Amino acid sequence: MNLVDIDDLTREQLHDVLDLAAEIKAGERGDSPLADQTLAMIFEKPSTRTRVSFETGMTQLGGHAIFLGPDDIHLGKGEPIKDTARAVSRYADFIMARLFDHADIVELAEYGTVPVVNGLTDDAHPCQTLADLLTIREQFGGFDVDVAWVGDGNNVCQSFVLGAAMTDIDLTVATPEGYEIDESVRNRAAGLGNQPAETNDPGAAIAGADIVYTDVWVSMGQEDRREQKLRDFDGFQLTTGLVDDQPVMHCLPAHRGEEITDELLESDNAIVWDQAENRLHAQNGLLVWLSEQ
Ligand code: CP
Ligand code: NVA
């Protein structure tokens, strides 16, 4: 079983992972469920939360994590991804990878013989969605909420769209024209029974929402599109004026002064630190759950 995107899980499995995460967070599971197990962590892109939360999580669960940065292994350079997948699977009990091309995590998962977890690609960020759902459930006691996504229809947005579809969250996605979610994601959400509403008007999305969620406009690897994107996203910045006193989520890192103001991020509306903490708990739940499959 792999987690290439959040809809690799069934609805029931998603709730099981979240329940297990909550149990582990509450200290209700025994010590060292992953004793003697190793997580190989492959990173083509930088990371603060994903790297530290997975590595800390493995320590908490009684196992061990190995950090493999872009210059540490042969992945995609000295040897094909499928060879890395098969070799690393002979040593480690899990592989987590943060890669550029989504096709590469699909290949890693296809050839890996241990669970492969997507730690972010250009198209998806399912571990972020697990943490987001855990956070929303904690804050609202369930998923009967209206969420407004304001910004880029990017990797974080796309996995959240699918996670929202699987939990019946009422989601409105507001992007500038040309930055909408992929058609394939829209179709998958529809197949899960809950396609998001879409608009190019951030104010309309925010009106009546229980939560407002944003992410950077310039994702890792898009630096050469920066000037164009800053122009195209004019009017989409979350400010204390635009947000109507709702809780604000952000997967972080935040680019203050671009998608969100420093004032709003530092305000009591921002629940971003609880959200960031939940990366650890959600992933602990995921890893233990995967080990039991
Ligand atoms: N949200 C998230 O994945 O953060 P990092 O890039 O710091 O891992
Ligand atoms: N959309 C951002 C998320 C970072 C966690 C990026 O891909 O850079």
Side-chain angles (χ1 to χ4, degrees):
M1 175 88 201
N2 303 302
L3 190 76
V4 170
D5 208 341
I6 195 75
D7 57 343
D8 287 350
L9 301 171
T10 63
R11 280 177 179 244
E12 193 183 347
Q13 288 172 333
L14 173 59
H15 283 98
D16 288 347
V17 170
L18 294 175
D19 288 346
L20 189 48
E23 271 179 49
I24 295 170
K25 182 174 181 178
E28 290 165 3
R29 293 285 287 206
D31 286 343
S32 303
L34 299 185
D36 300 328
Q37 300 202 30
T38 298
L39 169 70
M41 307 191 298
I42 298 172
F43 284 93
E44 285 185 343
K45 302 182 185 183
S47 167
T48 301
R49 280 142 288 268
T50 304
R51 192 252 165 108
V52 178
S53 57
F54 267 109
E55 189 161 338
T56 306
M58 283 304 285
T59 303
Q60 291 179 348
L61 299 169
H64 176 67
I66 305 175
F67 174 76
L68 302 163
D71 297 324
D72 294 326
I73 55 172
H74 303 289
L75 182 88
K77 293 178 284 204
E79 71 182 354
I81 287 162
K82 61 186 179 183
D83 292 6
T84 303
R86 287 175 289 192
V88 174
S89 294
R90 297 294 179 106
Y91 311 124
D93 301 281
F94 312 90
I95 300 171
M96 184 277 293
R98 167 167 288 196
L99 308 175
F100 285 92
D101 191 346
H102 192 75
D104 289 346
I105 192 95
V106 172
E107 184 176 338
L108 200 62
E110 185 184 346
Y111 285 91
T113 55
V114 296
V116 171
V117 175
N118 182 352
L120 180 145
T121 61
D122 290 347
D123 294 353
H125 198 2
C127 293
Q128 183 65 52
T129 303
L130 284 178
D132 298 342
L133 295 175
L134 190 61
T135 307
I136 290 170
R137 200 173 70 166
E138 285 175 352
Q139 299 270 337
F140 290 86
F143 297 115
D144 187 13
V145 289
D146 284 26
V147 180
W149 174 279
V150 177
D152 199 3
N154 62 14
N155 43 10
V156 173
C157 178
Q158 296 199 133
S159 289
F160 188 76
V161 163
L162 297 169
M166 294 169 73
T167 50
D168 296 321
I169 285 173
D170 214 332
L171 175 63
T172 302
V173 176
T175 67
E177 258 183 77
Y179 294 97
E180 291 86 0
I181 57 172
D182 287 349
E183 182 68 25
S184 62
V185 172
R186 195 175 289 126
N187 292 339
R188 279 155 66 196
L192 291 161
N194 191 3
Q195 201 178 320
E198 294 184 69
T199 176
N200 302 125
D201 179 351
I206 291 171
D210 301 306
I211 304 169
V212 183
Y213 193 171
T214 193
D215 181 21
V216 293
W217 297 336
V218 184
S219 285
M220 292 179 275
Q222 298 182 337
E223 290 75 12
D224 58 338
R225 297 168 57 196
R226 180 179 176 77
E227 295 310 317
Q228 181 66 49
K229 289 195 88 171
L230 292 190
R231 280 196 296 277
D232 292 346
F233 281 80
D234 186 34
F236 281 75
Q237 184 184 67
L238 293 190
T239 64
T240 43
L242 186 62
V243 168
D244 189 23
D245 211 28
Q246 298 102 327
V248 172
M249 296 176 67
H250 192 310
C251 62
L252 304 174
H255 295 169
R256 288 168 164 81
E258 294 183 14
E259 76 279 0
I260 191 166
T261 58
D262 178 69
E263 183 190 19
L264 183 56
L265 196 65
E266 296 294 341
S267 75
D268 290 341
N269 292 63
I271 57 169
V272 299
W273 308 115
D274 292 334
Q275 187 186 356
E277 180 187 329
N278 276 335
R279 289 294 304 278
L280 171 70
H281 306 300
Q283 291 157 194
N284 284 353
L286 174 69
L287 291 170
V288 173
W289 184 84
L290 286 170
S291 75
E292 293 173 350
Q293 300 313 297

